Amino acid sequence: MTVNALTRAAPGSVPAALAAGDALIAAMAARLPPGVTARTLGMADADAVRALRGRVIQTLDHPDFYQPAAEYGNFVTDHLNVAGVTVGLFLGTELVAFGALGLPGAGPDTVNRGRDLPLPEAELLQVAHLSSAMVDPNLRGRGLHHWTIDWRLGVADRIGRRHALTTASPRNHRSWGHLAAHGLYPRRLIGVNSGILRLLMHRDSMAEPVFDPATASLVTVEDLADRADLFERGEQVWCRLHEGGRWFALFGRARPAAA
């Protein structure tokens, strides 16, 4: 899509996201590893997305890291320019990574994670879901996940969806740790489809929360799912830390906004 197409597309819509996504791919191409290329995906890529998902899910360290039972709708096809957009990363002609961005509506029957935060109803159309990302196990450690996070956040910002939300398994500290490094902080524990427990992560592009070190505490990743009490009293997770051979979540409050 051209810049003119972007200006004609409705703000926050799939066409606007496609135009913004193509522009960002061009702007971010130099940050990809040598030999890796990127493009937005369409329906013709659905089988390649499913195949990559299958390979990645089989290699996860724990079955709780990604459970298709937590998904809703026709997950793959809905994110191929129906209710969201997806970027694909290729090594040659092989799809080796993707990042899906959902663009939910605000209707009462629509899954919109803004309600779980909760956000005011008037801001639900400003929500974007970082719905899923997968990287081929053979290409991990090359920054591909971080690239897809930046791309999706950039698209959301450009189309006026200031609230980026996603969910992650409390056990999967690699995933939520990467997301927290981009400003998507675990804010709550919620139950999703079939009662699966997930961290709800949020970034508001119009806010810049600052960690108050006076409120810091550490919780082991193994115990994170049992610490809803910390979230309920206004704390959040800021990052993951590795100490003494174990991984921890750093909890604490944000500093009060300046008067």
Side-chain angles (χ1 to χ4, degrees):
M1 287 182 111
T2 65
V3 173
N4 286 339
L6 174 60
T7 60
R8 290 195 302 269
S13 66
V14 168
L18 282 169
D22 288 341
L24 276 169
I25 287 171
M28 296 171 58
R31 293 169 46 191
L32 289 169
V36 177
T37 60
R39 64 172 173 83
T40 51
L41 302 182
M43 286 296 181
D45 300 298
D47 287 344
V49 172
R50 293 189 184 100
L52 177 57
R53 278 164 48 95
R55 294 200 306 274
V56 171
I57 290 171
Q58 289 177 357
T59 66
L60 295 177
D61 294 339
H62 192 283
D64 183 58
F65 281 13
Y66 196 94
Q67 296 192 31
E71 298 174 349
Y72 50 87
N74 299 312
F75 191 84
V76 172
T77 55
D78 282 353
H79 289 85
L80 297 176
N81 310 332
V82 176
V85 294
T86 300
V87 67
L89 303 182
F90 293 81
L91 190 60
T93 60
E94 182 182 4
L95 180 69
V96 295
F98 69 83
L101 184 73
L103 304 174
D109 298 325
T110 302
V111 176
N112 187 314
R113 293 297 174 207
R115 290 193 176 92
D116 296 318
L117 197 57
L119 289 174
E121 288 287 320
E123 295 184 17
L124 292 180
L125 282 177
Q126 298 174 34
V127 165
H129 294 160
L130 276 72
S131 305
S132 176
M134 299 276 181
V135 177
D136 188 293
N138 294 320
L139 277 86
R140 288 176 184 159
R142 301 181 66 184
L144 301 188
H145 186 209
H146 289 288
W147 195 97
T148 67
I149 294 171
D150 277 340
W151 183 86
R152 288 175 289 166
L153 291 176
V155 171
D157 290 348
R158 288 190 177 204
I159 64 173
R161 294 205 177 223
R162 62 181 270 200
H163 294 289
L165 288 125
T166 191
T167 58
S169 165
R171 297 174 182 268
N172 194 354
H173 62 85
R174 181 178 293 109
S175 179
W176 62 251
H178 285 183
L179 291 157
H182 294 259
L184 282 117
Y185 300 119
R187 298 278 304 278
R188 289 194 62 197
L189 281 163
I190 63 170
V192 296
N193 290 5
S194 304
I196 296 169
L197 188 66
R198 288 292 181 256
L199 291 167
L200 178 66
M201 311 180 70
H202 175 235
R203 169 188 177 268
D204 181 353
S205 64
M206 298 180 67
E208 295 184 6
V210 177
F211 171 58
D212 182 356
T215 65
S217 63
L218 292 177
V219 173
T220 63
V221 166
E222 295 83 0
D223 294 330
L224 184 53
D226 297 321
R227 297 313 307 266
D229 60 305
L230 294 176
F231 292 109
E232 289 166 0
R233 67 189 195 202
E235 299 189 26
Q236 65 184 48
V237 175
W238 294 85
C239 65
R240 61 175 183 155
L241 297 172
H242 192 251
E243 295 286 345
R246 305 183 72 182
W247 284 99
F248 295 85
L250 174 64
F251 270 89
R253 292 187 177 87
R255 285 179 175 165

